[in-house]
Each structure stands twice: as structure tokens, then as C-alpha cells.
Amino acid sequence: NVEKYLRRCVESLVNQTLRDIEIILVDDGSPDGCPAICDEFAKIDTRIQVIHKPNGGLSSARNEGLKHIAAEYYMFVDSDDWLDVDACRVAYDNAIQNDADCLMFSYTKEFGNHSIVNHVFEQDCIVWGKEQIADRIHRRLFGPVGDELSKPQDVDLIVSACMQLFKTDKFKNIEFVDTKTIGTEDCWYQILLYENCNRFV
């Protein structure tokens, strides 16, 4: 039921300056015009693969998409999101340059009449190893402590599985838990993921 946003989302993907990408669109049994929009894009861009499935919820849709990934890295883009045209190139180049298992980038929340830029970290670029990942990312997913309690919203910034690039051969087999079982499926996914992350950018 995201017919209103889907075209803008998919257009932001097909227009990426990094051309060598695969785009997997999962139609989770949407009753509106989304299935037709997905098929329409697939007819004009061979990089697009459309999967039509019965409705199972967000976690089910993401897990289905994970089964079809062939690329070296993957990211999740929700249907009401869109990317700057250079997003994939900048993320991929930085991931390769720094041999990242996971790369996270800042994002903007749009509220119709105003925007909020969310800088995930204060530094422009960081490269962390296993010990720093455990202390500064993994642990924060469980909740703020100490000085972090004065800015609980900063924990929210890292919870979403979007705005990240993940190394396929390390993380493709981690599945999302159904949202009927757990309220914050993104957070639990990342808790499992960061147990096996050795290099974060």
C-alpha cells in the first residue's frame, strides 16, 4: 500500500550513478497499484527483479529479498525512501576502500514542510574494528548508558537496517524475525549482525 511513494523510490535506484547494481523489488501482496508499478519498471530495466508473494509483513518481504541477492554488498531501501543519485557509488567506494563488513551513512527525515538531517556520528568518517564495534555500535543497540542517556534519540539513529551497506557473504543468511513476534525487527537483525562484524565504516 505504498503506491503514492513507490515510483520516486524506484526512480532513485535506477538513476544511480553506480550502474552495476541489482534491484530486487519485493511485492508483499500489495492490494493497490504497487505490483503493476514494479512490473512496469522491470520491463524497462533489466537490472530489476520483481518478486510477487503473498502478504507476510516487512520481515517476510526482506527475508525473501535476501534469498535472491547475487551482489557483493546489499542494502535495504524501504518503499517510502529514496536515495541521492550518488548514494550507491559513494557507499560502495568507501566500503571497498576500507574493506568494510558494514557501512552506515547519515540520512534526512522528510516531514512535508520541513526536513531533519540525522548525522549518525559526529565525525565525517570513522573506521572501527571489532572492539570498537562491540562498544560503540553493538552495545548501543541494547540501549543507552551513562552520558548517552541525555540523548536517547541517538540510539534510534542506528536502529534502522536502512542507510547501511552489508557484505553479502558475511550476513546474507541472517534473517529478520517476524514483526508479529518482535516490535523492532531492525534492531534484532543488527544485534545478530554485529556479532560477526569485524570492520565498520
Side-chain angles (χ1 to χ4, degrees), residues 22-84:
E22 59 180 2
I23 301 167
I24 301 169
L25 303 179
V26 181
D27 158 36
D28 189 40
S30 188
D32 63 0
C34 287
I37 293 170
C38 291
D39 291 340
E40 176 189 325
F41 273 104
K43 285 177 185 172
I44 59 176
D45 194 320
T46 57
R47 298 173 300 168
I48 294 177
Q49 177 185 170
V50 180
I51 300 160
H52 297 287
K53 62 180 283 303
N55 180 258
L58 177 60
S59 294
S60 170
R62 286 183 176 172
N63 288 338
E64 185 62 35
L66 284 166
K67 295 175 188 174
H68 299 270
I69 295 170
E72 183 181 5
Y73 285 89
Y74 65 95
M75 68 166 60
F76 299 103
V77 182
D78 288 347
S79 46
D80 59 347
D81 295 343
W82 69 96
L83 299 178
D84 288 346

Side-chain angles (χ1 to χ4, degrees), residues 105-117:
F105 47 91
S106 299
Y107 61 99
T108 303
K109 279 191 175 181
E110 300 286 355
F111 293 96
N113 60 351
H114 72 285
S115 304
I116 297 176
V117 178

